[in-house]
Amino acid sequence: MKLVFATNNLNKLKEVQSLIPNHIQLLSLKDIGCFEDVPETQLTIEGNAIQKAEYIIEHYGFDCFADDTGLEVAALDGEPGVFSARYAGDQRDANDNMDLLLKNLKDKSDRTAQFKTVIALHLNNKLETFTGICKGKITKTKHGDKGFGYDPIFKAEGYDKTFAEISLKEKNDIGHRGKAVRLLVSFLSSLR
């Protein structure tokens, strides 16, 4: 089975490839000649994932899945949420995003947060969605150099290290994207 993963984010691609079984050939947007920005104009994480998957089906005709992920911080009424990648501006800079988030949380005692990933699968003219959530807390400073995005300031519940301080395998075991991908893989395996 060939499936397109609708992302240009090489870090996401690497994370997901490590979880997909060998009988599924994962193609990137680059592999199908998609070099334009796939639209993400919805106001929800689910909406963006569905929009991206539908765009690939409509413009390229490939069965595909797309994800969208957001960091939802309780004390900021769920911000940055759907705007996580562009929280500090259209330059989509992870350090700028983290700096702004830490600044906005400076006087807040509640640092609880969750990462949420929604995967939208378009397969055989049907749409399925899969959601993974990882609850945790935002640290006061950045720690670690692994991972990407907000990983240096997010500690999962029950962990004393940030996502940027643990291995990719550990992150996939407990993280939002890993949970959503396992649901996707379970669904795809049920079709065999």
Side-chain angles (χ1 to χ4, degrees):
M1 175 189 298
K2 283 185 182 179
L3 264 183
V4 173
F5 179 23
T7 187
N8 283 313
N9 184 321
L10 296 178
N11 291 304
K12 272 188 191 181
L13 189 62
K14 184 177 166 189
E15 268 188 24
V16 171
Q17 275 177 325
S18 71
L19 296 167
I20 296 285
N22 294 336
H23 73 275
I24 298 170
Q25 183 186 354
L26 206 56
L27 302 173
S28 69
L29 290 177
K30 183 180 169 187
D31 292 332
I32 64 167
C34 176
F35 298 101
E36 68 265 30
D37 280 337
V38 177
E40 295 180 68
T41 58
Q42 302 304 305
L43 297 178
T44 65
I45 292 167
E46 294 88 346
N48 273 344
I50 292 167
Q51 181 182 26
K52 289 190 277 188
E54 287 178 344
Y55 182 89
I56 297 305
I57 285 284
E58 189 180 318
H59 292 85
Y60 292 90
F62 286 95
D63 284 333
C64 67
F65 66 94
D67 81 321
D68 197 36
T69 295
L71 176 64
E72 300 172 332
V73 180
L76 301 176
D77 298 322
E79 280 186 14
V82 72
F83 302 106
S84 292
R86 302 178 299 278
Y87 191 48
D90 286 337
Q91 74 277 16
R92 296 175 174 244
D93 183 85
N95 280 308
D96 291 350
N97 290 337
M98 285 186 285
D99 291 343
L100 179 59
L101 184 64
L102 292 173
K103 179 182 162 208
N104 290 344
L105 277 177
K106 198 171 95 175
D107 300 324
K108 311 276 187 197
S109 57
D110 179 5
R111 300 185 79 83
T112 58
Q114 68 178 24
F115 269 119
K116 177 181 181 180
T117 292
V118 176
I119 293 175
L121 170 68
H122 241 297
L123 183 65
N124 303 326
N125 298 314
K126 290 184 186 156
L127 175 70
E128 301 282 342
T129 59
F130 310 92
T131 302
I133 289 175
C134 182
K135 295 182 179 297
K137 288 192 183 312
I138 302 298
T139 59
K140 293 192 174 183
T141 57
K142 300 172 194 169
H143 301 277
D145 58 4
K146 296 182 183 113
F148 61 100
Y150 294 90
D151 288 355
I153 60 170
F154 182 83
K155 282 185 186 175
E157 275 181 359
Y159 279 73
D160 60 356
K161 292 181 176 177
T162 67
F163 270 0
E165 295 176 292
I166 61 177
S167 70
L168 177 59
K169 182 189 179 326
E170 238 179 327
K171 183 182 172 190
N172 279 338
D173 286 347
I174 63 168
H176 48 292
R177 190 168 294 106
K179 289 175 182 178
V181 171
R182 280 191 292 281
L183 292 171
L184 167 71
V185 168
S186 174
F187 175 80
L188 291 172
S189 298
S190 74
L191 302 177
R192 288 184 86 191

